[in-house]
Amino acid sequence: MLALQMSQVETGYGKISVFQNVNLKVHKAEIVTVVGPNGAGKTTLLKAICGLLPLWHGEIYLWAEKVNDKPAHKRATHGVTLVPEGARVFGDLTVAENLEMGAFIRNDSAEVQRDLEMVLGLFPVLKERFKYKARQLSGGQRQMLAIGRGLMSKAGLILLDEPSLGLSPILVEEVYEKLMAIRSMGTTILLVEQAVKKAFEVADRGYVMAHGKIMAEGTVEKLAKEEQLLQAYFGAI
């Protein structure tokens, strides 16, 4: 089953087009990565999926339902959530309150409690710091909190924007281990990254984006062999 399908999508800011004719698919329980240099349009792609930007052209389907005209808050109820870059959390709220915010669209309190226990089991450090203010956490802990908050929405599709940004190599490893665990639970992940090597270690398939276009796509094994293309955009991986 397709969690996400984008067909001939174009959008941008004001009158400036950021990308054109983007076609992309993500199947249920896949990790698919979109890699590319700064300014390629990767974050804009995620915003278009979530409804934070209007489509100028093309179609977007979430779980086989067309969502072109649905605003962002309606798309959240269609099983998609965004974890933005920079580990953005509510700094003056506690870890507990941040996680509660992730479940604000839900009314199944028993399931919410079970999901909270699941998130705390996945990220034990959040359980240890449950009553801490989010601003008291380290960068890596805030990233885990941001991902945990996304999981609390019970979305089947999580959009992750640069989860390795600003983290030490040890913390990057830990975050990516958690992504594999999340996928093993049946959650689908669309991962935007500049850390190509790390993204390719966990993803099933990938898309290379540059200059507002998809330059290549395929399995990560196939893309890793596209040395000329990858070196042109990222240097050696």
Side-chain angles (χ1 to χ4, degrees):
M1 180 181 184
L2 283 174
L4 168 68
Q5 182 173 5
M6 305 179 73
S7 179
Q8 297 295 303
V9 171
E10 179 180 7
T11 192
Y13 302 93
K15 295 182 179 180
I16 300 173
S17 176
V18 173
F19 59 73
Q20 313 84 32
N21 302 320
V22 166
N23 297 291
L24 184 148
K25 292 181 180 179
V26 183
H27 294 87
K28 178 177 169 55
E30 273 192 315
I31 297 180
V32 172
T33 187
V34 180
V35 297
N38 280 332
K42 305 185 303 298
T43 295
T44 302
L45 183 80
L46 300 185
K47 289 181 177 179
I49 295 167
C50 289
L52 298 175
L53 284 174
L55 292 192
W56 296 359
H57 181 75
E59 297 177 336
I60 295 179
Y61 291 84
L62 291 171
W63 306 105
E65 182 171 343
K66 189 175 178 180
V67 295
N68 283 33
D69 299 324
K70 292 188 182 296
H73 70 280
K74 291 289 187 182
R75 294 193 198 185
T77 66
H78 278 73
V80 61
T81 191
L82 172 65
V83 179
E85 69 174 285
R88 295 179 198 171
V89 292
F90 300 104
D92 289 328
L93 299 183
T94 65
V95 168
E97 290 165 338
N98 269 272
L99 294 174
E100 288 171 12
M101 289 293 290
F104 79 98
I105 63 172
R106 301 174 58 182
N107 55 18
D108 51 339
S109 56
E111 282 292 321
V112 167
Q113 183 59 37
R114 278 192 284 270
D115 287 340
L116 177 59
E117 291 170 3
M118 176 272 292
V119 168
L120 296 179
L122 187 64
F123 300 109
V125 69
L126 299 183
K127 186 173 184 178
E128 295 169 8
R129 290 161 172 73
F130 199 56
K131 297 300 183 182
Y132 282 47
K133 299 284 189 183
R135 57 180 163 75
Q136 295 176 285
L137 304 181
S138 70
Q141 291 163 0
R142 287 196 299 272
Q143 183 64 71
M144 292 175 195
L145 178 56
I147 295 171
R149 187 181 60 197
L151 288 172
M152 287 300 297
S153 70
K154 210 174 182 62
L157 172 62
I158 293 183
L159 312 178
L160 277 170
D161 194 1
E162 303 277 6
S164 68
L165 186 67
L167 300 185
S168 69
I170 291 175
L171 286 174
V172 170
E173 287 292 334
E174 187 172 355
V175 166
Y176 269 79
E177 285 176 9
K178 301 303 184 183
L179 296 188
M180 295 294 286
I182 291 166
R183 193 267 290 276
S184 73
M185 296 186 292
T187 303
T188 309
I189 297 173
L190 180 61
L191 169 66
V192 158
E193 263 291 9
Q194 277 188 282
V196 180
K197 184 176 181 180
K198 181 52 63 179
F200 280 13
E201 286 178 8
V202 300
D204 302 293
R205 295 186 300 108
Y207 293 81
V208 178
M209 194 171 190
H211 310 303
K213 296 180 180 179
I214 300 295
M215 310 299 291
E217 63 179 280
T219 65
V220 291
E221 292 82 9
K222 174 191 170 187
L223 291 177
K225 295 176 182 176
E226 301 273 356
E227 285 189 32
Q228 186 174 5
L229 178 68
L230 289 171
Q231 291 207 7
Y233 294 115
F234 316 105
I237 66 168

